[in-house]
Amino acid sequence: MTTPNTPSLRRGVRLAAFVTLAMAAGCAVPGPVFPPVDPPVLWPASGDAPRFAYVGKIEGEADLKRPRSLWRWFVDLVGGPEPAAAIQSAFGVAVTPAWVLHVSDPDAHLVHRFDLEGRGYRALRDAGDGRSFVTPIGLALSADKLLVSDRALKTVTVLSLSGEPEAILGAGLLEGPVGV
């Protein structure tokens, strides 16, 4: 019976410990998306009970401050990081009770979907019937649906809250919807 090579065994243990620590570092929970605003910015500032509070700004996907996994770190090191999506021209805004922020961006021809709790991002381009959004303008929430008016398509697209098209309203009837 042979005994294991002690230096090789130590190198293997060190490598395993390094990989485990590196992977755990990639799973670290980041801090809040928006730092606390002190003093709070409320509207209306005086008189009536405040109905709006400023919590912070978001300009794009990078503001979600997602942690990078060890694999993502390696891919970025080898091939360079993928560019993060950025808002080009914010127009309509809708926020679900679960803190999913939707921002229509007519210059980018899409609706940005920011999951502020889960740190997820998705660009919503599909307007249904094989078409993409051209100039998404107005956004509105209705129960578990997101309505998106597109001036160029002359329709209102009904999306699930995950962003899947479910219906198209106003085709052939609307001239250039901007609000919903």
Side-chain angles (χ1 to χ4, degrees), residues 31 45 48 65 67 86:
D48 292 336
K65 303 173 191 148

Side-chain angles (χ1 to χ4, degrees), residues 37-121:
V37 177
D38 190 30
V41 179
L42 305 172
W43 186 87
S46 61
D48 292 336
R51 293 184 298 278
F52 298 96
Y54 174 80
V55 295
K57 71 175 183 172
I58 191 160
E59 296 177 343
E61 183 181 7
D63 292 330
L64 292 174
K65 303 173 191 148
R66 287 187 285 198
R68 286 193 312 173
S69 66
L70 179 61
W71 176 251
R72 182 79 255 163
W73 177 85
F74 178 74
V75 169
D76 291 349
L77 179 68
V78 172
E82 292 181 22
I87 298 172
Q88 294 179 25
S89 61
F91 205 93
V93 176
V95 184
T96 71
W99 285 98
V100 177
L101 170 69
H102 297 88
V103 180
S104 63
D105 191 341
D107 286 353
H109 315 289
L110 56 84
V111 175
H112 300 276
R113 182 186 184 278
F114 300 96
D115 180 349
L116 301 177
E117 293 290 321
R119 307 291 173 114
Y121 172 81

Side-chain angles (χ1 to χ4, degrees), residues 121-146:
Y121 172 81
R122 185 170 169 208
L124 306 179
R125 293 182 172 87
D126 188 355
D129 286 347
R131 301 178 310 166
S132 297
F133 288 117
V134 180
T135 53
I137 302 286
L139 298 178
L141 289 169
S142 173
D144 59 346
K145 307 291 181 219
L146 175 69

